[in-house]
Amino acid sequence: MSLAGRDDTIAAIATAVAAGAGSVAIVRVSGPQAEAIGRQLFQPAGQQSWESHRVLYGHVNDPANGDVVDEVLLLLMRAPRSFTRETVVEFHGHGGLVAVQRLLELVLAAGARRALPGEFSQRAFLNGRLDLTRAEAISELVSARSRRAAELAIAGLDGGLQQRIDALRHQLLDQLCELEARVDFEEDLPSLDGAAVCNAFQEVQQALDQLVRDGQQAQLLRDGLRVAIIGRPNVGKSSLLNALSGQERAIVTDLPGTTRDLLDYDLVLQGVPITLVDTAGIRSTADRVEQLGIERSRAALASADAVVLLYDLSSGWSPDDSELRNEVPDGTPLLLVGNKSDLGGTAAETAGLAISARSGLGLAELSSALLKLCGLSGEGQGLLLALNQRQCDLAATASAALGRSQQAARDGCLPWDFWTIDLREAIRALGEITGAEITEAVLDRVFSRFCIGK
């Protein structure tokens, strides 16, 4: 996304488009020619004034033949009072596929360029409408898979994250000024308190480390977990999936080997998005179709964030269950769950949980134990602000740089200006989080992940 095209007028469909889905569709136009394109295509009904931030009613006509394309509302927002701080025109027409696509084609033919992913938000950033953390929060709000993830995105959109990072960066800038003053005017200033400087570095480093830990926890709220349910045939894997999802998604019978393929289901447990993978029972079989399902089950194990190993409490833990446990890759969180507690038996022998997928007994405890096993519980209620992965990487870079600065100070054999090398690196990394220090390549990487029209 080159900055050379910043003076272009851009356009895109700003709403989800699908046949029969959504009664309203919006085509957004931003740039110096936006109002002219609106006036060219839009015919207001009766006498209506083209005033900024006023909704007009009328029709869009094809300039080539005068045909009516759609009945629309037009919203004009003249610069700088718009999201991009450019003049913006929005056509609010009927949803679906045909009408909105035809409207966009007319806008492009009138002189606009098709917007790239995230280009509206990028212009808002470049024009000072919002900082980089707010821009990324918009994308995270659109893609949020749970209410808690949306709340964290709103916190970033409100500027809390920018304020926190800016405050830490200013603390480091103050220390940099102190150090540079000693380099240039050491004879005219009192001796520098090296211990105080190190304490200031350590305070910022600890704050950054906490932000990184919170960000890693919040990433689960954003991305969710992929959890594979494994077990011998007929231990109740499909029944557990149906119980957790609240729907009869999987076929449940008393016949072993009923599940022949992977079945995914998305749900939210205690605020965390979860993709449950119901796998085929892993066992020795001559059935080629069932063998294929078992191979896919093993592949699902390799890619899962966590594994629930379900076994039959009524028949007890078996050598086959132990073999299944050995199939779980090293390092993958594993939760042992005994099913059919309503038929007798306990989970004490395996230190696991006892549930009944049929009656629902123990399902709440299973959800809590699974999230705790993956390092997240209680819906992340303690999280107020959360860095995304890009921001976490930069915060970790800044923390490591501060650690090196402190080491240089402790060694005591280097002059003050050597302390500033890593300090400047930390300041630069924090500036890249908010966009105070940014490059075109970073902008491309950030905004290319946005949806088109945002």
Side-chain angles (χ1 to χ4, degrees), residues 9 13 22 29-30 41 137 155 166 190 205-206 215 218 240 287 289 348 358 404:
T9 296
I13 299 172
V29 190
S30 179
L41 300 178
D166 279 346
Q205 184 181 26
Q206 290 173 346
L240 178 58
D287 188 323
V289 176
R358 177 177 295 179
R404 293 193 297 271

Side-chain angles (χ1 to χ4, degrees), residues 5 119-120 143 183 231 270 289 316 329 356:
E119 193 166 4
F120 291 97
S143 60
V183 173
Q270 298 184 18
V289 176
S356 170

Side-chain angles (χ1 to χ4, degrees), residues 347-368:
E349 56 189 312
T350 59
L353 293 173
I355 69 163
S356 170
R358 177 177 295 179
S359 69
L361 181 67
L363 293 185
E365 291 78 6
L366 188 158
S367 299
S368 298

Side-chain angles (χ1 to χ4, degrees), residues 1 5 8-14 17 27-30 37 100-120 123 452-454:
M1 192 186 301
D8 295 347
T9 296
I10 58 174
I13 299 172
V17 177
V27 172
R28 177 176 294 152
V29 190
S30 179
I37 291 172
V100 67
Q101 291 288 356
R102 189 176 178 192
L103 175 54
L104 177 61
E105 290 170 3
L106 291 178
V107 170
L108 297 176
R113 167 174 63 78
R114 192 182 299 270
L116 298 171
E119 193 166 4
F120 291 97
R123 290 192 175 192
I452 294 176
K454 200 62 182 169

Side-chain angles (χ1 to χ4, degrees), residues 97-411:
L97 289 172
V98 178
V100 67
Q101 291 288 356
R102 189 176 178 192
L103 175 54
L104 177 61
E105 290 170 3
L106 291 178
V107 170
L108 297 176
R113 167 174 63 78
R114 192 182 299 270
L116 298 171
E119 193 166 4
F120 291 97
S121 296
Q122 187 191 68
R123 290 192 175 192
F125 166 73
L126 293 172
N127 293 328
R129 172 65 172 75
L130 71 171
D131 75 290
L132 203 54
T133 63
R134 284 185 173 95
E136 290 179 291
I138 292 171
S139 178
E140 289 158 10
L141 181 60
V142 171
S143 60
R145 296 177 57 195
S146 69
R147 178 176 178 178
R148 190 69 186 98
E151 290 171 350
L152 287 173
I154 288 292
L157 194 58
D158 286 343
L161 185 55
Q162 178 208 13
Q163 294 167 12
R164 181 61 173 145
I165 296 299
D166 279 346
L168 295 174
R169 186 167 179 264
H170 287 149
Q171 286 179 249
L172 297 182
L173 285 169
D174 289 342
Q175 296 303 320
L176 179 61
C177 289
E178 286 289 328
L179 289 171
E180 290 188 331
R182 293 311 187 285
V183 173
D184 295 331
F185 310 104
E186 186 170 11
E187 295 180 355
D188 302 323
L189 295 173
S191 298
L192 182 69
D193 187 345
V197 173
C198 284
N199 288 338
F201 288 173
Q202 187 175 31
E203 179 183 341
V204 174
Q205 184 181 26
Q206 290 173 346
L208 290 174
D209 290 343
Q210 184 61 55
L211 284 173
V212 170
R213 288 192 293 270
D214 290 346
Q216 292 169 343
Q217 189 179 39
Q219 202 63 36
L220 295 178
L221 290 170
R222 297 189 186 100
D223 298 341
L225 296 169
R226 187 171 178 84
V227 179
I229 304 175
I230 65 169
R232 291 182 291 112
N234 210 33
V235 296
K237 298 185 297 299
S238 297
S239 295
L240 178 58
L241 175 71
N242 291 338
L244 290 174
S245 67
Q247 300 182 31
E248 293 296 320
R249 283 287 306 247
I251 299 173
V252 178
T253 74
D254 292 330
L255 300 175
T258 301
T259 300
R260 299 296 186 93
D261 203 352
L262 303 182
L263 181 64
D264 292 4
Y265 189 79
D266 294 329
L267 67 156
V268 177
L269 295 180
Q270 298 184 18
V272 181
I274 302 286
T275 298
L276 292 177
V277 184
D278 181 20
T279 65
I282 299 176
R283 64 170 182 167
S284 297
T285 177
D287 188 323
R288 180 54 185 159
V289 176
E290 190 176 353
Q291 286 176 354
L292 291 173
I294 292 170
E295 290 173 8
R296 293 186 179 184
S297 295
R298 289 194 168 100
L301 280 179
S303 63
D305 297 307
V307 174
V308 172
L309 197 168
L310 200 65
Y311 67 98
D312 190 340
L313 276 176
S314 63
S315 59
W317 184 264
S318 72
D320 289 339
D321 295 315
S322 296
E323 289 184 15
L324 271 179
R325 181 162 57 182
N326 293 334
E327 294 265 0
V328 179
D330 293 340
T332 301
L334 172 64
L335 184 63
L336 303 179
V337 179
N339 188 30
K340 305 182 183 180
S341 62
D342 52 319
L343 301 181
T346 68
E349 56 189 312
T350 59
L353 293 173
I355 69 163
S356 170
R358 177 177 295 179
S359 69
L361 181 67
L363 293 185
E365 291 78 6
L366 188 158
S367 299
S368 298
L370 179 61
L371 296 180
K372 184 177 181 181
L373 183 69
C374 296
L376 184 62
S377 60
E379 301 190 27
Q381 293 294 346
L383 296 179
L384 300 177
L385 298 170
L387 307 179
N388 60 29
Q389 189 59 59
R390 182 191 75 89
Q391 296 161 354
C392 275
D393 291 343
L394 289 167
T397 296
S399 175
L402 289 175
R404 293 193 297 271
S405 288
Q406 292 173 69
Q407 185 61 50
R410 284 192 293 267
D411 290 344

